Structures are given as C-alpha cells and as structure tokens.
Amino acid sequence: MSAKVVISCAVTGSIHTPSMSPYLPVTAAEIAESAIGAAEAGAAIVHLHARNPQDGRPDQSPEAFEPFLRAIKQASNVVVNLTTGGSPYMSVEERVRPAAVWKPEVASLNMGSMNFGLFPMLKRYKDFKHAWELAMLEGSHDLVFRNSFKDIRYALETLNETGTRYEFECYDTSHLYNLHYFWTEGLVKAPLFIQTCFGLLGGIGSHPDDVMHMKRTADRLFGDNYRWSVLAAGRAQMPVAAMAAAMGGHVRVGLEDSLWLGRSKLAESNAEQVRRVRQIIEGLGLEIATPDEAREILKLKGGDKVAF
C-alpha cells in the first residue's frame, strides 16, 4: 500500500436531495466552488455528478458537466473523477455519456447489480421542496440498480479507448469477484483502484468485520495489483475512513456519501469533511497525497489528456 493516503471527495452525488441539506451543491457554480474548496482542503480527487440547477434532480447530460469541469480545471490541479453511476433510475448508456465525452482521468464504475434502498431516509425527512425527491426515495422500495455483465462491458469498451482509468465501486463481495472476472479477461488493467463501499441498504454493512472481509477478499483476489480505498454512508463515514487509513488504505468522503460532520451536525461544505478526515489521517502519523502523487499511485494519464 502507498505511504501516502489519497483523499477522494464525492461532492454532490445523486442520492441526497436538496431538501435534506441547504449545503448540498446543486448548481454548476456551487459544484465547482465546493470541489475547489475540497481540493484546497486536501482532496487529491473530486468525484463529480451534475444536477438540474432548478430542482436538483440528477442530470447525466454531458452539457450539464461542462461549466463546472472547466471552472475546476482552471482553478485547481485536482484529479477529476466523473460518475458513470449517475442515478440508479438511468440506463447505462445515459450514465456513461459524460465520461465518454469529457474523457476524465478517472471514472467511477459500479461492479454489480444490487438492491438500492434509499427509503430509510423517509424516517428522517418528511417535507420536500420538489415532488421528484419523495418519488425517488419511495421508488427505491422496488429498485434494482442494474449493472449487469453486459452493462459493465459496455462501459469498459466505451471508455478504455479514452485512457480513462476507473474507481471500481464494490458494494459487496460478489462485486470483487465480478471485477476479478473482467481483470482476468484483460478488459481492466492494474493497478486497480478499488473503492469498497459500506453501509448502503442493499450492500454490505459498515461493521469493522465487513471492512476486514472486503479487504481480505480483495487481497486474495488481486494481491499487489490494486489500490484500496473506502467510502461509508452516513454516520459510518469517518469511523470506516479511520480504520482504512490505519490499515494502509485510501479514503473517500463528501456530501454524496454523508451530509453530516458529527452527531446532529450537518457538514456545511465538502471541505469541512475533507479537513476532518485529514485531521484523522495526520493524527495517525500519515501524510496525504497531492493530486500529482495520486496520479502516480493510480497510474493516471494526467490532467492534460482530458477533453475539458
């Protein structure tokens, strides 16, 4: 594992809705400002989704990404990671389009189909500004986030020719085995950047045993051919990040994964979460990676080879 810890920051995502936090970035200007702030706080990578600026609905049109991509590149050396997850309600063709057009250094890629239960948030949130928010959460009672072998192959065959590498999002043990299949088929190349994801209903939990199980499985399947990172939903975000950093891994934080900074305290920015996890990392006697160090650790193509 690397001697330095790569901090990724997932700036807005598609799971949380505008009614849940006044600090969730929605407009292109807000997303750019929040991403640049996260980079200044210590994030080497920013993971980006786009939203409709009027109502905050997830938007995977490449045009929605352009304003904040150009603003971020002008202001920062940070590594840009574009989602191909988009929203679980979208087709894979729709989800892959932004990365296909803009050819980022990194694109996320979900490694298996899964139940995607967002409805538990209805216990906390009752009042919504926009009708789509309630419909999206209620609809997740009967939602399968499709990432079939055909879908994954489509994403890989579309993006491999651009030189983009991947943040492989693995929400359960089977997703690691799915990735191993594509690796043995030669469709993905080492070093693999594996993001093990914890605490979303439908995926593996966030108990320390779950973290250890995913790490042991990845070690057995990939040996030295991968770089390990973690993300955890909600209140588990910082404890799982601390555990992974202490074990030699990398970490992801951001308002996509958790709106919170602490008990009953909303994070007022992505930068606030980055500063908190940086404090944990440095408290362990570790150092954070710069964007260029992250490029070396993950063997990325460089910020001069993107299409924005």
Side-chain angles (χ1 to χ4, degrees):
M1 292 294 174
S2 169
K4 294 196 175 184
V5 181
V6 175
I7 300 175
S8 297
C9 182
V11 171
T12 189
S14 64
I15 292 173
H16 296 118
T17 71
S19 299
M20 296 177 182
S21 172
Y23 308 113
L24 185 72
V26 170
T27 67
E30 290 168 348
I31 291 168
E33 180 182 11
S34 199
I36 293 164
E40 291 172 346
I45 301 173
V46 288
H47 170 77
L48 302 173
H49 289 239
R51 292 178 179 266
N52 180 299
Q54 276 72 50
D55 64 7
R57 188 190 303 265
D59 185 346
Q60 280 295 103
S61 64
E63 303 77 40
F65 285 74
E66 182 172 9
F68 59 74
L69 288 178
R70 297 201 185 282
I72 292 166
K73 186 173 182 180
Q74 288 172 3
S76 175
N77 185 41
V78 71
V79 175
V80 169
N81 170 351
L82 294 189
T83 181
T84 71
S87 163
Y89 293 94
M90 298 174 178
S91 69
V92 67
E93 292 83 4
E94 185 178 4
R95 288 158 40 199
V96 168
R97 282 181 64 214
V101 169
W102 299 116
K103 301 175 174 57
E105 294 184 77
V106 182
S108 67
L109 185 57
N110 292 66
M111 290 311 298
S113 300
M114 59 186 293
N115 292 332
F116 211 78
L118 307 177
F119 55 86
M121 288 190 277
L122 291 168
K123 292 181 178 179
R124 178 185 291 271
Y125 303 102
K126 305 297 183 184
D127 300 315
F128 296 96
K129 300 174 186 175
H130 310 289
W132 74 266
E133 300 177 75
L134 178 61
M136 185 268 287
L137 295 173
E138 287 184 334
S140 71
H141 279 97
D142 191 29
L143 175 62
V144 175
F145 188 8
R146 174 184 161 134
N147 294 281
S148 68
F149 289 106
K150 181 180 178 181
D151 293 340
I152 295 168
R153 183 178 290 270
Y154 171 83
L156 293 172
E157 291 179 345
T158 301
L159 297 178
N160 278 351
E161 64 188 43
T162 71
T164 294
R165 292 182 67 83
Y166 304 96
E167 173 199 23
F168 295 106
E169 295 192 357
C170 296
Y171 289 82
D172 219 331
T173 314
S174 62
H175 295 186
L176 294 171
Y177 281 91
N178 294 349
L179 175 56
H180 187 264
Y181 164 76
F182 285 105
W183 182 49
T184 58
E185 288 290 296
L187 278 169
V188 299
K189 306 295 185 184
L192 307 169
F193 182 33
I194 299 180
Q195 189 74 255
T196 49
C197 309
F198 302 94
L200 184 82
L201 186 61
I204 199 167
S206 57
H207 190 277
D209 287 348
D210 297 320
V211 178
M212 292 297 299
H213 173 63
M214 291 289 277
K215 176 66 165 57
R216 283 194 300 266
T217 303
D219 284 347
R220 176 164 45 79
L221 291 175
F222 304 106
D224 295 331
N225 293 293
Y226 83 105
R227 308 292 176 259
W228 179 49
S229 183
V230 301
L231 71 84
R235 71 182 67 179
Q237 184 182 68
M238 294 299 169
V240 170
M243 181 178 178
M247 294 168 61
H250 307 290
V251 303
R252 184 175 118 175
V253 295
L255 298 182
E256 172 174 347
D257 303 328
S258 174
L259 295 174
W260 304 93
L261 189 66
R263 185 176 180 84
S264 301
K265 178 174 173 51
L266 288 170
E268 296 186 14
S269 68
N270 280 283
E272 200 170 30
Q273 289 188 349
V274 173
R275 285 192 291 269
R276 175 63 58 84
V277 81
R278 179 176 183 169
Q279 184 180 37
I280 292 169
I281 291 164
E282 292 177 341
L284 292 168
L286 304 170
E287 296 180 56
I288 64 166
T290 67
D292 283 338
E293 288 168 338
R295 290 181 172 99
E296 176 58 30
I297 291 165
L298 301 176
K299 305 304 180 190
L300 305 181
K301 64 182 179 179
D304 58 333
K305 294 181 176 63
V306 299
F308 56 88

